[in-house]
Amino acid sequence: MKSYAKYLGKRILYMFLTLFLIASITFFLMKLLPGTPYSNQDKLSEEQIFIMNEKYGLNEPLPVQYVVYMSRLLGGDLGTSFQFNNTPVTELLSTRVGPSLQLGIQAVVLGTTLGIILGVIAAMNQNTWIDTTATFTAILGRSIPNFVIAVLLQLIFGVYLKWFPIALWNNGFSSSVLPTLALAIAPLADSARFIRTEMVEVLSSDYVELARAKGLSRLTVAFKHGVRNALIPLVTILGPMAVALMTGSLVVENIFAIPGIGEQFVKSILTNDYPTIMGVTILYSAMLVGIILVVDVLYGIIDPRIRVTNEGGDE
Amino acid sequence: MNNVLEVKNLNITFDTYAGKVKAIRGVSFNLKKGETLAIVGESGSGKSVTTRSIMRLLSQNANVEDGTILYNGDDLIKKTEKEMQKIRGKDIAMIFQDPMTSLNPTMTIGKQISEPIRLHQKLNKEEATNRALELLNLVGLPQAEKRMKQYPHQFSGGQRQRIVIAIALACNPEILIADEPTTALDVTIQAQILDLMKELQKKISTSIIFITHDLGVVANVADRVAVMYAGKIVEVGTVDEIFYNPQHPYTWGLISSMPTLETEKTLYAIPGTPPDLLDPPVGDAFAPRNEFAMKIDTELEPPFFEVSDTHSAATWLLHPDAPAVTPPAEIRARQALYKEKFANYYGKNETSVFSSENEVKGGL
Amino acid sequence: MNNSKQTVDETIKLSPDMFNPADSSDKVDNERISAPSLSFLEDSWRRLKKNKAAVISLFILIIFIMLSVFAPIVSPHDPDFQIVSHANLPPKIPGLTINGLNGTQALGDTRVDKYEQQGVPEGVSYYLGTDGLGRDLLSRILHGTRVSLLIAFVAAFFDLTIGVIYGLVSGWSGGKVDNGMQRVLEILSGVPNLVVVILMLLVLDPGIKSIIIALAITGWISMARVIRAQTLKLKNQEYVLAAKTLGESPIKIAFKHLIPNLSGIIIIQTMFSIPAAIFFEAFLSFIGIGIPAPTASLGTLINDGYKTFRFLPHLMWYPAAVICILMISFNLLADGLRDAFDPKMKD
């Protein structure tokens, strides 16, 4: 197990290296941007801007600003948003993590569950109309942009049928239903397609044939020997899935007017609120890198083959 | 004679983009209680398809066009999937070619062995585990108790094949189908596995169908041999008859191409390639590669000619009108040896009487 | 063998001369293979043709590509020309009397002819209606599709070039170079592409070029991964070793042996990256940082339509339908190609 700890340590080191690079690059990119970060810059005279810059340390040489920023970052300070009442970015984002996280988790759970069911059904009925229907459903899910789906859901279930609130985040769980559905389509389609491919391969494997030769029924073989082996690699697409959810949350939160990170991010982009943009960038990257690490560790735990081989050293 | 299994006139085709491939073209054979029947032939000759059809585990694009597979008098072809599930693993079990891939990588081997036991013998978990342990000891896996909880990747190829054999023997099947069980193994491990199979067969008196393309292995394990070519059985007989008195030119070729310790000259190779079963040739499928081919071979399919009660071959060379041909030197030497060894039987009784345990087998 | 035992059917007269040795002309050519022999591409094409959905998708895509290439010619109106008096007209197709396509709009309980009401001259009709500035929606969709497809194809081309070169170099070099290049990929894959694209768009001037650059910067990583893995596999194939032994240069080997064998996987990857790029462009335009006005893209059209979709839903649904059809067709075709190139699926 010693070498596994070493491997893990190496992975965590890379994780921080990645985050460091992202933070640095973001910092310098932001400095390249034209204009000042003040919401009322049109009304400000050069002198006022100078004073403001002085106050926020923006007149210092770039390397000094960089060091100050990075050391504050280590302490968890993402700076101050100039656009939104001079609120610290950390505070601005922390109130918004809740709704985003709830939607994201609900969407992943719902989407992958349905996707796994759909994928298994498709694989077990390979090359029949059931398979075709399931595969086509998955392709529809992949193809229709989430903002189109979100608007459709809003129109049908919010405006016409009035089953759920059209927008906003003030109705408890029922507020989360439509945005969750809109976000769940992508994980559903991706996992359905992934599971189908894995399952088809597993079902044609020698050990499945041996299991059939033992006298197990097709269904028992599929569930006892097939699904487990097909599910294990599914954790590898959790990373890309998380990215897709972040992307999706930007539009879905906007369409449903949900006070989440995505909505704040879009607002900040449109108002050149650089500290917040940097904050969200670092937050998203940290989440992705964290998920990739967790997936790696998880994979080692659930796959008995990796459990041992990992003890041998890196990768 | 009590045949456990009788396959009659089996015809199987596969649907492909180019048309129907006639993979099995009228195969008939039987399996007696407690015997080992080897089915020999090159790849694509239909050995595996034949056995998969006995297990009814053919792929979806396969069609059984004709024929019966009688297991103790019951036609397996007519069984429902449910009925087959009761037979598979219990009455007829199978060992696959590649032990590296035929075990589920994410299930402990203990579980994999007890699976058929719990299914067919309705034992509870503990009893099944005990039986699995017993089986692992039987197939000679050391430290069985500890290893029950391990996963397949923690075992070597030979050990895995022992586990696969343990799974197959879990319910004391009446028929064991071994599809090239040693092909993927090292030579030394091969011998161990073969010895194990022979030993186990004595213990539990199973009938074995042993599929292989390796004649050396055949000589080692089989009582009787069926030689397959292009989806047909071309010669069948006891192991001595096939090795020392072969009649079909294809069998001649097979035996001549088998290396022996005395081989000094270049090893014989059968010229040409097997026919395309999408469109099998008229007449004898082997004719194009047969240096003794006659006109009739290209026109009519040869029927089986009986050489002895236990030995028959499908070649026109055995027809009374056929000219006498001189088989290759290797075969002539073997036939001479055969005559000498069994001289006392000749003349007395046309149908040869000899034990399958005869010492002559095993290559010259 | 009692079951297989047969005796010669006496009714067939076997003449003795039939037992003469066969001459070579009697022997059929055994080497003949009756299944047609197909090259890799022919074989893939045969399998693709069997996939109806993929063929239909290909057909639809060809039509859309032709329409967008010739958009300036086939557009009935100038996509950017504003006639304020013609604003928000419903679709009108001459000769059709179906409500919704005849230029009328429900106003309370009655349908009014908006064209008449707004004083549009007789004979002028907008097949898909006009937007709030009186621009012809059909022309804007045609030009928008052109822009979206242009961005997607160029971005995919960059993905392909960068990804293939990176993957080939990394896989072929092996050792330290490969290790270093892999670490770079590992770090890059920890960055959400969304973030990179948005940052790039903030730094660069908004426009088609910036979107292409932003998409190209993030898109090549998966291509590089796949190509590297395949190259590692191919590198040790006998024919590559043989070429190496014969002293062929790495570049020649790459073009003669590696790329032809990688072509299947390159095509599939590219086919998946095109719809991804279409989506990303639309996504960026939808959140408001994509193509600036007045240039139309499918994303900006949907964004514009969304602003008024409660009242004039067709302004959103038509471009949304076009993007959905494009995405579905690309995905179906990509799926079909993947199955066609995958020999495991051979039947």
Side-chain angles (χ1 to χ4, degrees), chain C residues 287-308:
Chain C
I287 63 172
I289 54 169
I291 309 277
T295 312
S297 78
L298 290 173
T300 55
L301 289 173
I302 294 172
N303 189 21
D304 289 346
Y306 177 60
K307 289 171 188 155
T308 54

Side-chain angles (χ1 to χ4, degrees), chain B residues 5 14 33 42 66 83 116 129 140 156 171 218 233 237 297 335 343:
Chain B
L5 192 75
F14 285 88
K33 200 160 176 50
E42 52 202 296
D66 193 14
E83 291 170 322
T129 311
S156 70
C171 301
V218 173
I233 290 182
D297 280 319
Q335 283 172 342

Side-chain angles (χ1 to χ4, degrees), chain A residues 124-141:
Chain A
M124 288 195 57
N125 297 286
Q126 208 192 336
N127 301 329
T128 64
W129 66 269
I130 299 173
D131 183 22
T132 316
T133 315
T135 310
F136 191 70
T137 311
I139 288 197
L140 278 189

Side-chain angles (χ1 to χ4, degrees), chain B residues 16 22 43 78 101 103 163 165 181 210 312 350:
Chain B
T16 69
K22 298 160 194 79
S43 359
K78 294 203 177 74
T101 55
L103 291 169
I163 295 166
I165 291 174
F210 198 104
S312 49
E350 269 305 323

